[in-house]
Amino acid sequence: MGIRSKLIAFAVGIAVLAAVVFDGYVVQTLGAELEEHTEDDLAARTALVAAAVAGAGDLAAEAPALAAALSERAGARVTLIDPDGVVRGDSSVPPERLEELDVHGSRREVADARHLGVGRGERVSKTTRMRMLYAARRLDRPEGPWVVRLAFEPVAIDRSLSAAHARVVEGTLLALALAIGAALVGARALSGRLVYLTGVARAMRGDLSRRARVQGRDEIAALGSALDDLAESLERSRRELGGEGERFGAVLESMREGVLVTDERGDITLINPALSQLLGVRGDAVGRPPLEVLRSAGLHEILEEVARSRAAAMREIEIAPASPGAAGPAGRRVVVVNAAPLALPAEEGRGAAGVVAVFFDVTELRRIEGLQRNFIANASHELRTPVASIRASSETLLDGALDDPAAARDFVEVIDRNATRLHRLVNDLLDLSRIEGGERALSPGTLDLAEQAEATVALLRERAREKRTTVEVEVAPGTLVAADARALDQVLTNLVDNAIHHTPDGSRVAVRARASDGCVVLEVEDDGPGIPAAHQARVFERFYRVDAGRSRAAGGTGLGLSIAKHLVEAMRGDITVANGAAGGALFRVTLPSATAGAEG
């Protein structure tokens, strides 16, 4: 039911209730007043009739005629009752039927008149079968107390009450019609304003800029003003929340750490791009369990633990990427997960809370830590061997070998050889440290690769002749590269020296170059045993040796290729290794050409 119908129904109900109350009050009050007035009038008539009867001589004989005569004058039924209660005259009963009437001495009004002098009563008459009002008066005579009674049928009262009731009903209907009309007008005006406010409120759901702007000082105007204030507050809150949401989204987008949020059911509600990229998550992960998306039992355990205990927890776990290519060479990422409950601890018995987890990728850090441990172990191992030889030789000399010139010379040569090895190792370590730390400044310039290669090979030809190794330079004059002269010389020296040392006597080493797409590709190839495919990915690591025993016997430090890789990358180049067509090792260095370098 609408407000208009409710207002009309309320107005009609009030009108009907008022009419019923008014009708009952008026009819009851008017009826009581009319009855009281009629009784008083009837009592007065009774007194007059009694006075007229008092002058009769033989009242018992004259009673029928006297009752009939006085009835016409009094306008009421007259009954004359002797001291024995017998009706001697009644204007409504013929004289011959008076004997059929009951003794009236027990009638209420007759009994009251006998004892009190006057009496009243109201009842349905047994004689006339009609409702009658009775007034009786005692008349004292020598033969005893007679009672003069008048009876009046209250038809006039009933007619008056009926007329009054009819007028009340007519007034009620008129008032009801007026009330309905007024209610219609008022309800239409009121409901129209409320309907307008309802329309504005519904429009505000999609457009908070809408305003009611209701004029007036009544409650509806106050409601419209409150609605406008609410819309203004909501619009301001929406702007603030929108700004906060944008900032929060920007923070999540720019975070390098991965963020994962789950709800109370444990399903994902948010995953930021950093985590998707880190773990190779493809497709929409929202609404799915983390175990289904990331397939990590360790992550599932920590999320369950935090949700259950509602206490923060941190753990380092390994996670396999959801898609290939998202992880490093090992195929897994090492992450530190810092998880915390979203909801504060609540009353006991409540379900699990949501969880927010932040992922820190420590894969590279752990790899570097491993490299550092390996570096320390390898450096210690490399240093221990020459130091042990020097110490043993010096102790032998001090123990008396100095007195034997031939033996002393051998031990001094051992000391010299290992000292030279230590010197080379320390220099290589310092070079590598400066290169990795960016302390070694390079000065790229335009270099003729043919001249640079010839100069480097010239310094190594004596060593090559000792092993009957042929070193050929196949670089066209005028092949220009953008590189640092000292760094390029060190790279070439390491590559050619490695080729000479790791090939059998009588081998051949070729140094050649070619231009390719704005770059110059420099290749150093030998016809030795080559490098097994399983080792090719690691030959540029520090201290890594394919044949550790043979390398140490040759006096190598295991740092040359690592230094070469860092120098090439510092010159914006690239270095790789493969096996050549002849089966030997083929090192390929790509450097920017002098033209490309100038343009860059």
CSV table of all heavy atoms in Angstrom, one decimal, residues 34-35 131 154-163:
chain,number,residue,atom,x,y,z
A,34,LEU,N,-33.9,13.0,27.3
A,34,LEU,CA,-35.3,12.9,26.9
A,34,LEU,C,-36.0,12.0,27.9
A,34,LEU,O,-37.2,12.4,28.3
A,34,LEU,CB,-35.4,12.4,25.5
A,34,LEU,CG,-35.0,13.3,24.4
A,34,LEU,CD1,-35.1,12.6,23.0
A,34,LEU,CD2,-35.9,14.6,24.4
A,35,GLU,N,-35.4,10.9,28.3
A,35,GLU,CA,-36.1,10.0,29.2
A,35,GLU,C,-36.3,10.7,30.6
A,35,GLU,O,-37.3,10.6,31.2
A,35,GLU,CB,-35.3,8.7,29.4
A,35,GLU,CG,-35.4,7.8,28.2
A,35,GLU,CD,-34.7,6.5,28.5
A,35,GLU,OE1,-34.2,6.3,29.6
A,35,GLU,OE2,-34.7,5.6,27.6
A,131,ARG,N,-43.1,-1.3,25.2
A,131,ARG,CA,-42.2,-0.7,26.3
A,131,ARG,C,-42.9,0.6,26.8
A,131,ARG,O,-43.3,1.4,26.0
A,131,ARG,CB,-40.8,-0.3,25.7
A,131,ARG,CG,-39.8,0.2,26.7
A,131,ARG,CD,-38.5,0.3,26.1
A,131,ARG,NE,-38.4,1.5,25.2
A,131,ARG,CZ,-38.1,2.7,25.6
A,131,ARG,NH1,-37.8,2.9,26.9
A,131,ARG,NH2,-38.0,3.7,24.8
A,154,PRO,N,-42.8,5.6,25.2
A,154,PRO,CA,-41.8,6.6,24.8
A,154,PRO,C,-41.5,6.6,23.3
A,154,PRO,O,-40.4,6.5,22.8
A,154,PRO,CB,-40.6,6.1,25.5
A,154,PRO,CG,-40.7,4.7,25.7
A,154,PRO,CD,-42.2,4.4,25.8
A,155,VAL,N,-42.6,6.6,22.5
A,155,VAL,CA,-42.4,6.6,21.0
A,155,VAL,C,-41.7,7.9,20.6
A,155,VAL,O,-40.9,7.9,19.7
A,155,VAL,CB,-43.8,6.5,20.3
A,155,VAL,CG1,-43.6,6.6,18.8
A,155,VAL,CG2,-44.4,5.2,20.7
A,156,ALA,N,-42.1,9.0,21.2
A,156,ALA,CA,-41.5,10.3,20.8
A,156,ALA,C,-40.0,10.3,21.1
A,156,ALA,O,-39.2,10.9,20.3
A,156,ALA,CB,-42.2,11.4,21.6
A,157,ILE,N,-39.6,9.7,22.2
A,157,ILE,CA,-38.2,9.6,22.5
A,157,ILE,C,-37.5,8.9,21.5
A,157,ILE,O,-36.4,9.3,21.0
A,157,ILE,CB,-38.0,9.0,23.9
A,157,ILE,CG1,-38.6,9.9,25.0
A,157,ILE,CG2,-36.5,8.8,24.2
A,157,ILE,CD1,-38.5,9.3,26.4
A,158,ASP,N,-38.0,7.7,21.1
A,158,ASP,CA,-37.4,6.8,20.1
A,158,ASP,C,-37.3,7.5,18.8
A,158,ASP,O,-36.3,7.5,18.1
A,158,ASP,CB,-38.1,5.5,20.0
A,158,ASP,CG,-38.0,4.7,21.2
A,158,ASP,OD1,-37.1,4.9,22.0
A,158,ASP,OD2,-38.9,3.8,21.4
A,159,ARG,N,-38.4,8.3,18.4
A,159,ARG,CA,-38.4,9.0,17.2
A,159,ARG,C,-37.3,10.1,17.2
A,159,ARG,O,-36.6,10.3,16.2
A,159,ARG,CB,-39.8,9.6,16.9
A,159,ARG,CG,-40.8,8.6,16.6
A,159,ARG,CD,-42.2,9.2,16.4
A,159,ARG,NE,-43.2,8.2,16.1
A,159,ARG,CZ,-44.5,8.5,16.1
A,159,ARG,NH1,-45.0,9.8,16.4
A,159,ARG,NH2,-45.4,7.6,15.8
A,160,SER,N,-37.2,10.8,18.3
A,160,SER,CA,-36.2,11.9,18.4
A,160,SER,C,-34.8,11.3,18.3
A,160,SER,O,-34.0,11.8,17.7
A,160,SER,CB,-36.4,12.6,19.8
A,160,SER,OG,-37.7,13.2,19.8
A,161,LEU,N,-34.6,10.2,19.0
A,161,LEU,CA,-33.3,9.5,19.0
A,161,LEU,C,-33.0,9.0,17.6
A,161,LEU,O,-31.9,9.2,17.1
A,161,LEU,CB,-33.2,8.4,20.0
A,161,LEU,CG,-33.2,8.8,21.4
A,161,LEU,CD1,-33.2,7.5,22.3
A,161,LEU,CD2,-32.1,9.7,21.8
A,162,SER,N,-34.0,8.5,16.9
A,162,SER,CA,-33.8,8.0,15.5
A,162,SER,C,-33.4,9.1,14.6
A,162,SER,O,-32.6,9.1,13.7
A,162,SER,CB,-35.0,7.3,15.0
A,162,SER,OG,-35.3,6.1,15.8
A,163,ALA,N,-34.2,10.3,14.8
A,163,ALA,CA,-33.9,11.4,13.9
A,163,ALA,C,-32.5,12.0,14.2
A,163,ALA,O,-31.7,12.3,13.3
A,163,ALA,CB,-34.9,12.5,14.2
